[in-house]
CSV table of all heavy atoms in Angstrom, one decimal:
chain,number,residue,atom,x,y,z
A,1,ALA,N,0.8,-1.2,0.0
A,1,ALA,CA,0.0,0.0,0.0
A,1,ALA,C,0.9,1.3,0.0
A,1,ALA,O,0.6,2.2,-0.7
A,1,ALA,CB,-0.9,0.0,1.2
A,2,MET,N,1.9,1.2,0.8
A,2,MET,CA,2.8,2.4,0.9
A,2,MET,C,3.6,2.6,-0.4
A,2,MET,O,3.8,3.7,-0.9
A,2,MET,CB,3.8,2.3,2.1
A,2,MET,CG,3.1,2.3,3.4
A,2,MET,SD,2.1,3.8,3.7
A,2,MET,CE,3.4,5.0,3.6
A,3,LYS,N,4.0,1.5,-1.0
A,3,LYS,CA,4.7,1.6,-2.3
A,3,LYS,C,3.9,2.2,-3.4
A,3,LYS,O,4.3,3.1,-4.1
A,3,LYS,CB,5.1,0.2,-2.7
A,3,LYS,CG,5.9,0.1,-4.0
A,3,LYS,CD,6.3,-1.3,-4.4
A,3,LYS,CE,7.0,-1.3,-5.7
A,3,LYS,NZ,7.4,-2.7,-6.1
A,4,GLN,N,2.6,1.8,-3.5
A,4,GLN,CA,1.7,2.3,-4.5
A,4,GLN,C,1.4,3.8,-4.1
A,4,GLN,O,1.3,4.6,-5.0
A,4,GLN,CB,0.4,1.5,-4.6
A,4,GLN,CG,0.6,0.1,-5.1
A,4,GLN,CD,1.2,0.1,-6.5
A,4,GLN,OE1,1.0,1.0,-7.3
A,4,GLN,NE2,1.9,-0.9,-6.8
A,5,SER,N,1.3,4.1,-2.8
A,5,SER,CA,1.0,5.4,-2.4
A,5,SER,C,2.2,6.4,-2.8
A,5,SER,O,2.0,7.5,-3.2
A,5,SER,CB,0.8,5.5,-0.9
A,5,SER,OG,0.5,6.8,-0.5
A,6,VAL,N,3.4,5.9,-2.6
A,6,VAL,CA,4.6,6.7,-3.0
A,6,VAL,C,4.6,7.0,-4.5
A,6,VAL,O,4.9,8.1,-4.9
A,6,VAL,CB,5.9,6.0,-2.5
A,6,VAL,CG1,7.1,6.7,-3.1
A,6,VAL,CG2,6.0,6.0,-1.0
A,7,VAL,N,4.3,5.9,-5.3
A,7,VAL,CA,4.2,6.1,-6.7
A,7,VAL,C,3.2,7.2,-7.1
A,7,VAL,O,3.5,8.1,-7.9
A,7,VAL,CB,3.9,4.8,-7.4
A,7,VAL,CG1,3.7,5.0,-8.9
A,7,VAL,CG2,5.1,3.8,-7.2
A,8,ALA,N,2.0,7.0,-6.5
A,8,ALA,CA,0.9,8.0,-6.8
A,8,ALA,C,1.3,9.4,-6.4
A,8,ALA,O,1.1,10.4,-7.1
A,8,ALA,CB,-0.4,7.6,-6.1
A,9,SER,N,2.0,9.5,-5.2
A,9,SER,CA,2.4,10.8,-4.7
A,9,SER,C,3.4,11.4,-5.5
A,9,SER,O,3.4,12.6,-5.8
A,9,SER,CB,2.9,10.6,-3.2
A,9,SER,OG,3.3,11.9,-2.7
A,10,ASP,N,4.4,10.6,-6.0
A,10,ASP,CA,5.4,11.1,-6.9
A,10,ASP,C,4.8,11.6,-8.2
A,10,ASP,O,5.2,12.7,-8.7
A,10,ASP,CB,6.5,10.0,-7.2
A,10,ASP,CG,7.3,9.7,-6.0
A,10,ASP,OD1,7.4,10.5,-5.1
A,10,ASP,OD2,8.0,8.6,-6.0
A,11,GLN,N,3.9,10.9,-8.8
A,11,GLN,CA,3.3,11.3,-10.0
A,11,GLN,C,2.5,12.6,-9.8
A,11,GLN,O,2.6,13.5,-10.6
A,11,GLN,CB,2.4,10.2,-10.6
A,11,GLN,CG,3.1,8.9,-11.0
A,11,GLN,CD,3.9,9.2,-12.3
A,11,GLN,OE1,3.6,10.1,-13.1
A,11,GLN,NE2,5.0,8.4,-12.5
A,12,ALA,N,1.8,12.6,-8.8
A,12,ALA,CA,1.0,13.8,-8.5
A,12,ALA,C,1.9,15.0,-8.2
A,12,ALA,O,1.6,16.2,-8.6
A,12,ALA,CB,0.0,13.6,-7.3
A,13,GLY,N,3.0,14.7,-7.4
A,13,GLY,CA,3.9,15.8,-7.0
A,13,GLY,C,4.6,16.4,-8.2
A,13,GLY,O,4.8,17.7,-8.3
A,14,ILE,N,5.0,15.6,-9.2
A,14,ILE,CA,5.7,16.1,-10.4
A,14,ILE,C,4.8,17.1,-11.1
A,14,ILE,O,5.2,18.2,-11.4
A,14,ILE,CB,6.1,15.0,-11.3
A,14,ILE,CG1,7.2,14.1,-10.6
A,14,ILE,CG2,6.6,15.5,-12.6
A,14,ILE,CD1,7.5,12.8,-11.4
A,15,TRP,N,3.6,16.7,-11.3
A,15,TRP,CA,2.7,17.6,-12.1
A,15,TRP,C,2.2,18.7,-11.3
A,15,TRP,O,1.9,19.8,-11.8
A,15,TRP,CB,1.6,16.7,-12.7
A,15,TRP,CG,2.1,15.8,-13.7
A,15,TRP,CD1,2.3,14.4,-13.6
A,15,TRP,CD2,2.7,16.1,-15.0
A,15,TRP,NE1,2.9,13.9,-14.7
A,15,TRP,CE2,3.1,14.8,-15.6
A,15,TRP,CE3,2.9,17.2,-15.7
A,15,TRP,CZ2,3.7,14.8,-16.8
A,15,TRP,CZ3,3.5,17.2,-17.0
A,15,TRP,CH2,3.9,16.0,-17.5
A,16,SER,N,2.0,18.5,-10.0
A,16,SER,CA,1.5,19.6,-9.1
A,16,SER,C,2.6,20.7,-9.1
A,16,SER,O,2.2,21.9,-9.2
A,16,SER,CB,1.3,19.1,-7.7
A,16,SER,OG,0.2,18.2,-7.7
A,17,ASN,N,3.9,20.3,-9.0
A,17,ASN,CA,4.9,21.4,-9.0
A,17,ASN,C,5.0,22.0,-10.4
A,17,ASN,O,5.3,23.3,-10.5
A,17,ASN,CB,6.3,20.7,-8.7
A,17,ASN,CG,6.4,20.3,-7.2
A,17,ASN,OD1,5.8,21.0,-6.4
A,17,ASN,ND2,7.0,19.2,-6.9
A,18,ALA,N,4.8,21.3,-11.5
A,18,ALA,CA,4.8,21.9,-12.8
A,18,ALA,C,3.6,22.9,-12.9
A,18,ALA,O,3.8,24.0,-13.5
A,18,ALA,CB,4.6,20.8,-13.9
A,19,ILE,N,2.5,22.5,-12.4
A,19,ILE,CA,1.3,23.4,-12.4
A,19,ILE,C,1.6,24.7,-11.6
A,19,ILE,O,1.3,25.8,-12.0
A,19,ILE,CB,0.1,22.7,-11.9
A,19,ILE,CG1,-0.4,21.6,-12.9
A,19,ILE,CG2,-1.1,23.7,-11.6
A,19,ILE,CD1,-1.4,20.7,-12.4
A,20,LYS,N,2.2,24.5,-10.4
A,20,LYS,CA,2.6,25.6,-9.6
A,20,LYS,C,3.5,26.6,-10.3
A,20,LYS,O,3.4,27.8,-10.2
A,20,LYS,CB,3.2,25.1,-8.3
A,20,LYS,CG,3.6,26.2,-7.3
A,20,LYS,CD,4.2,25.6,-6.0
A,20,LYS,CE,4.7,26.7,-5.1
A,20,LYS,NZ,5.3,26.2,-3.8
A,21,PHE,N,4.6,26.0,-11.0
A,21,PHE,CA,5.5,26.8,-11.7
A,21,PHE,C,4.8,27.6,-12.8
A,21,PHE,O,5.1,28.8,-13.0
A,21,PHE,CB,6.6,25.9,-12.3
A,21,PHE,CG,7.5,26.7,-13.3
A,21,PHE,CD1,8.5,27.5,-12.9
A,21,PHE,CD2,7.3,26.6,-14.7
A,21,PHE,CE1,9.3,28.2,-13.8
A,21,PHE,CE2,8.1,27.3,-15.6
A,21,PHE,CZ,9.1,28.1,-15.1
A,22,VAL,N,3.9,27.0,-13.6
A,22,VAL,CA,3.2,27.7,-14.6
A,22,VAL,C,2.3,28.8,-14.1
A,22,VAL,O,2.3,29.9,-14.6
A,22,VAL,CB,2.3,26.7,-15.4
A,22,VAL,CG1,1.4,27.4,-16.4
A,22,VAL,CG2,3.2,25.7,-16.2
A,23,ARG,N,1.7,28.5,-12.9
A,23,ARG,CA,0.8,29.5,-12.3
A,23,ARG,C,1.6,30.8,-11.9
A,23,ARG,O,1.2,31.9,-12.1
A,23,ARG,CB,0.0,28.9,-11.1
A,23,ARG,CG,-0.9,29.9,-10.5
A,23,ARG,CD,-1.8,29.2,-9.5
A,23,ARG,NE,-1.0,28.4,-8.5
A,23,ARG,CZ,-0.4,28.9,-7.4
A,23,ARG,NH1,-0.5,30.2,-7.2
A,23,ARG,NH2,0.3,28.1,-6.6
A,24,MET,N,2.8,30.5,-11.2
A,24,MET,CA,3.6,31.6,-10.8
A,24,MET,C,4.2,32.4,-12.0
A,24,MET,O,4.4,33.6,-12.0
A,24,MET,CB,4.7,31.1,-9.9
A,24,MET,CG,4.3,30.4,-8.6
A,24,MET,SD,3.2,31.5,-7.6
A,24,MET,CE,4.4,32.7,-7.1
A,25,ALA,N,4.6,31.6,-13.0
A,25,ALA,CA,5.1,32.2,-14.2
A,25,ALA,C,4.1,33.2,-14.9
A,25,ALA,O,4.4,34.3,-15.3
A,25,ALA,CB,5.5,31.2,-15.2
């Protein structure tokens, strides 16, 4: 469960940070 949660968190984190960068830009 934790392994899958980390994978999901990593995927969400990558794109969340990209979205944050675009918004600030």
Side-chain angles (χ1 to χ4, degrees):
M2 293 304 298
K3 180 180 178 180
Q4 295 298 332
S5 179
V6 169
V7 173
S9 179
D10 288 344
Q11 292 292 334
I14 291 172
W15 295 106
S16 293
N17 287 324
I19 291 170
K20 180 180 178 181
F21 170 78
V22 171
R23 181 170 53 81
M24 297 304 294

